Amino acid sequence: MAVGAIAVLSILALGTTSSVLQELKLAKFVTETDISPYLAQSAVDIMKVLLGNDSTPQAVTLYDMRTREITLGDKVLLIIPQDEQSKINLDLAPKEILGRLPGLSGQAQLIDAVFGANIVVQEELLLLDGMTEEIYGQLKGLTTVFGLGLVNINTAQPDVFGAQGMDSGLIEKIQEYRAGDDGIEATEDDRYFSNPAEIIPQLLSLGINPVQQQVLQNLLSTMQLGVTSDYVSFDITVLQGKKKVRFFKITANLVKGTIVFWYEE
């Protein structure tokens, strides 16, 4: 009888222990789930302060967009920023600029479809007739739906400059200027354009020709080229040790301090 009672109590104890462990695991998951969004919001707030108080507050540069690791309590936030205004604005770019983008070049009907569409979310491109996953893949990293249409000359990629009508020689001069003395972009000694009025004079010192100068002048006069950005996206991975707790993709208007896009997994 005593042995049987002990056996029964042991089974009940095991069941209770298992239940408690499951509850503890659930509580830990819920805690991490509840806290992570606040950590992500904190990351955006921290980046806003860092970008506003760095050595280039009047411009957003490639060095500003470097990866950061920020420790908050027992968690580490891995933050990868991306300047949304380093890209071509899908709703505000002229048709000729859209037509030079990789994937769209030479496709008149698709160019018209993109130009005539009111794209609110970038994925809406996939709803257009003639759009394929392959073409969308080419456009995704070069286009945006945020900002006023001015491409940030301090952060834009060569393909974006090419879509704006710049030739390879002019693009190389811009990259040479940005790279600074070490010849490498996105490092601490990078040079940057602090206002639109200095773009042409600074590049004239590097030997751009009259045709290249006119391309820049046209872009500046039509508000297609600038030096800073209001909108920055952040890929934020919340880590605890080596374990990935959550991932967030957040786009913020840093001037207004508002979040305009939020995705998490």
Side-chain angles (χ1 to χ4, degrees):
M1 177 74 71
V3 173
I6 291 172
V8 170
L9 289 172
S10 297
I11 292 170
L12 289 173
L14 283 171
T16 303
T17 302
S18 176
S19 176
V20 169
L21 287 173
Q22 291 301 318
E23 289 178 5
L24 287 173
K25 288 181 180 178
L26 178 60
K28 183 172 183 291
F29 172 77
V30 170
T31 300
E32 290 174 346
T33 302
D34 288 345
I35 291 175
S36 292
Y38 295 104
L39 292 175
Q41 175 67 66
S42 297
V44 174
D45 293 340
I46 290 168
M47 287 301 298
K48 183 177 184 295
V49 172
L50 290 175
L51 292 174
N53 292 279
D54 68 0
S55 59
T56 63
Q58 70 274 49
V60 172
T61 70
L62 285 174
Y63 186 63
D64 291 334
M65 296 294 99
R66 66 191 184 275
T67 299
R68 322 268 182 127
E69 286 189 8
I70 297 174
T71 300
L72 291 178
D74 64 341
K75 295 185 174 62
V76 173
L77 306 179
L78 179 65
I79 307 171
I80 303 175
Q82 186 174 61
D83 180 9
E84 285 296 322
Q85 287 176 233
S86 67
K87 309 172 187 180
I88 300 296
N89 190 295
L90 286 166
D91 282 329
L92 299 175
K95 188 184 294 187
E96 59 268 25
I97 288 181
L98 292 174
R100 297 190 197 104
L101 282 167
L104 290 183
S105 180
Q107 301 206 47
Q109 289 186 332
L110 188 53
I111 293 167
D112 288 341
V114 173
F115 182 72
N118 181 23
I119 304 294
V120 177
V121 179
Q122 197 178 39
E123 287 77 7
E124 291 178 354
L125 285 171
L126 291 166
L127 302 176
L128 300 178
D129 288 341
M131 182 63 66
T132 65
E133 289 282 356
E134 182 181 355
I135 295 173
Y136 175 73
Q138 292 179 273
L139 296 174
K140 186 176 181 181
L142 302 175
T143 59
T144 185
V145 296
F146 301 108
L148 298 176
L150 284 85
V151 169
N152 182 0
I153 192 172
N154 290 308
T155 56
Q157 302 175 45
D159 280 343
V160 169
F161 288 142
Q164 290 193 304
M166 299 186 196
D167 63 29
S168 60
L170 177 54
I171 295 169
E172 287 171 5
K173 293 297 184 185
I174 293 171
Q175 291 180 297
E176 178 186 342
Y177 178 82
R178 297 191 314 196
D181 292 336
D182 67 1
I184 302 172
E185 292 194 287
T187 57
E188 195 169 2
D189 79 330
D190 282 4
R191 289 190 292 253
Y192 63 94
F193 302 96
S194 59
N195 65 75
E198 73 175 29
I199 292 175
I200 292 176
Q202 293 287 5
L203 292 175
L204 279 171
S205 69
L206 294 181
I208 63 171
N209 62 46
V211 174
Q212 294 166 339
Q213 181 179 346
Q214 188 60 54
V215 169
L216 291 172
Q217 188 60 59
N218 291 342
L219 291 170
L220 290 165
S221 64
T222 56
M223 302 295 287
Q224 297 293 324
L225 198 63
V227 301
T228 192
S229 178
D230 294 346
Y231 292 88
V232 175
S233 290
F234 302 94
D235 286 354
I236 303 171
T237 303
V238 182
L239 301 168
Q240 188 164 28
K242 294 183 179 181
K243 177 187 175 185
K244 175 182 172 182
V245 178
R246 298 290 291 280
F247 172 80
F248 299 85
K249 189 173 186 67
I250 299 170
T251 302
N253 182 322
L254 297 182
V255 175
K256 295 182 179 179
T258 56
I259 289 176
V260 296
F261 177 83
W262 181 291
Y263 167 83
E264 61 185 272
E265 60 183 39

